[in-house]
Amino acid sequence: MARVKAAVATRYGGPGVLKVRQLPDPTPSPGQALVRTRFIGLNFADLMQRAGVYPRTPKAPFVPGLELAGEVVLPGPPGLGLNAGDRVVAYPIFGSHQELIATDLAAKIPDAMDLQTAAALGVCGMTALYAIHHLGRSRPGETLLVSAAAGGVGTLALQIGRHSGLRTVALAGGEAKGALARSLGADEVVDYRRPGWKRRIAAMRFDLVLDSVGGPVMRACWPRLAPLGRYILFGFSGAVGPGAFSRLKGAWNYLRTPSPHPLHLVSANRTLAGFNLSLITDHRPLLTQMLGEVFDLWEKGDLRPMVTKIYPFGGITRAHADMQQRRTTGKVLIQME
Ligand SMILES: NC(=O)c1ccc[n+]([C@@H]2O[C@H](COP(=O)([O-])OP(=O)(O)OC[C@H]3O[C@@H](n4cnc5c(N)ncnc54)[C@H](OP(=O)(O)O)[C@@H]3O)[C@@H](O)[C@H]2O)c1
């Protein structure tokens, strides 16, 4: 039996539990295509899967990974609309950290798009777009706050914000990240790893907040939501420590996250919303529509993923550790060797 290279989460835990192993070739089920991975788009969710704290995570050992770009080996049924050799993105939700993947969630990419761009654009682009346009219903002239603004989602959210006529405020950890956010058009940058950041936030007002950190960030930013404002909580990275995920840090972040009473939303004219893109895969037409919108923005030149580092597949544990320790900026890819 042929074998494929895979990064296996041997048990739930820190980056060190991820081991490169040879697994049997995946066999597609009747509704699936077989795709050869060329680039893996690393997402924060992959770290949460590895730690066993992501929704629907399989029992270990398993192969984590939401996102990849590559080529179709076996096209699957006609309903998938694929042909052998097509260049595609795929979102298996679990399993992108391997050479070959059987999936029913794959889509062709535009002819002019290279595979690196494709691997970097989809999940982060759809997340930013869904938060700003679909849930956030942004209007030109409004003020948008983006947390983790120099990261994969953040750098695309700043671009979408700028092209949507929004004034953008970036929360970014450290000077280099702040500089990146500014280069992408952030009107104001707040370094939330420096003392005094909450005082700066306390002097601001936001119509739309994209918060992927929760805890102290939500505690500082929720009260600054303007009447008619929308607060979109779509991540909880503040619960994460630099090594293994700690239940204690998670519990602390949970307790520090405000939970406004619904009646107070009514009297303050505020919206609090949340979403998880991987669960939107249960609503396939919406996902297809959003991916199309992201590709359109890319074709118009309005959306450019910031690929800052490409790790070799053998360095995938290092890539996980770097993201978890907040050392990455923009989008990180892993190249299948
Ligand atoms: N709900 C969804 O469907 C969905 C989809 C995609 C992503 N997300 C969420 O969006 C966020 C960004 O995802 P991404 O893949 O683009 O990652 P990323 O932003 O490229 O990397 C994570 C960044 O989060 C910030 N961060 C804040 N507190 C952290 C902590 N305690 N530990 C580690 N990082 C921390 C760091 O930036 P600073 O140093 O600037 O703080 C870090 O660089 C994540 O929270 C992710 O779960 C949600």
Side-chain angles (χ1 to χ4, degrees):
M1 181 185 285
R3 314 282 285 177
V4 293
K5 236 182 332 192
V8 178
T10 49
R11 56 189 167 82
Y12 297 151
V17 305
L18 210 56
K19 305 284 182 207
V20 174
R21 300 261 195 265
Q22 297 286 328
L23 298 183
D25 256 7
T27 311
S29 65
Q32 291 181 320
L34 190 66
V35 175
R36 180 171 301 284
T37 307
R38 296 296 181 193
F39 291 95
I40 297 160
L42 188 67
N43 288 287
F44 202 80
D46 303 345
L47 282 50
M48 297 172 71
Q49 294 181 0
R50 190 205 67 226
V53 296
Y54 196 74
R56 303 178 182 176
T57 301
K59 283 209 174 91
F62 73 102
V63 179
L66 272 184
E67 176 170 40
L68 64 100
E71 291 118 16
V72 172
V73 178
L74 298 171
L80 294 183
L82 300 173
N83 292 302
D86 281 349
R87 296 171 334 117
V88 291
V89 282
Y91 308 111
I93 309 303
F94 297 94
S96 77
H97 290 15
Q98 66 185 340
E99 254 177 317
L100 277 176
I101 177 91
T103 179
D104 59 354
L105 259 175
K108 278 194 249 188
I109 64 173
D111 289 343
M113 185 181 280
D114 61 55
L115 287 175
Q116 294 184 16
T117 302
L121 190 60
V123 168
C124 291
M126 288 190 281
T127 302
L129 192 83
Y130 188 68
I132 294 174
H133 284 177
H134 291 250
L135 270 188
R137 305 180 316 281
S138 75
R139 291 180 290 272
E142 289 190 323
T143 298
L144 164 71
L145 176 77
V146 180
S147 67
V153 174
T155 49
L156 295 179
L158 289 177
Q159 295 175 54
I160 293 174
R162 198 183 65 218
H163 288 293
S164 306
L166 306 177
R167 188 178 161 273
T168 54
V169 180
L171 278 182
E175 270 178 35
K177 291 186 176 188
L180 176 61
R182 219 171 270 113
S183 76
L184 292 170
D187 296 284
E188 207 157 341
V189 174
V190 177
D191 181 349
Y192 58 170
R193 299 192 87 169
R194 291 179 79 120
W197 71 272
K198 290 182 190 162
R199 255 199 323 278
R200 288 191 60 197
I201 291 292
M204 298 181 187
R205 276 284 202 195
F206 310 109
D207 302 295
L208 181 56
V209 176
L210 266 57
D211 179 1
S212 62
V213 182
V217 166
M218 185 166 179
R219 212 175 169 85
C221 300
W222 170 254
R224 307 315 306 155
L225 194 67
L228 303 182
R230 287 84 63 207
Y231 198 105
I232 318 291
L233 185 65
F234 64 102
F236 206 55
S237 60
V240 176
F245 281 60
S246 137
R247 288 194 189 283
L248 199 66
K249 197 160 194 289
W252 176 242
N253 207 54
Y254 184 84
L255 290 173
R256 300 274 295 161
T257 300
S259 46
H261 193 282
L263 282 180
H264 297 158
L265 301 178
V266 177
S267 51
N269 266 315
R270 284 174 170 171
T271 298
L272 173 60
F275 72 96
N276 183 328
L277 194 69
S278 74
L279 305 181
I280 289 177
T281 52
D282 296 344
H283 307 271
R284 200 160 296 219
L286 177 58
L287 196 76
T288 308
Q289 179 198 333
M290 283 197 296
L291 187 62
E293 288 176 27
V294 167
F295 284 166
D296 286 349
L297 286 172
W298 179 82
E299 284 182 314
K300 280 198 280 177
D302 286 350
L303 203 55
R304 290 286 178 260
M306 302 284 116
V307 177
T308 54
K309 189 153 181 184
I310 303 179
Y311 294 76
F313 189 68
I316 195 164
T317 301
R318 168 55 48 203
H320 270 239
D322 284 350
M323 181 177 273
Q324 191 157 331
Q325 287 159 23
R326 304 171 81 160
R327 287 199 290 253
T328 57
T329 52
K331 184 76 182 183
V332 164
L333 300 182
I334 291 135
Q335 183 164 18
M336 205 40 94
E337 297 147 320

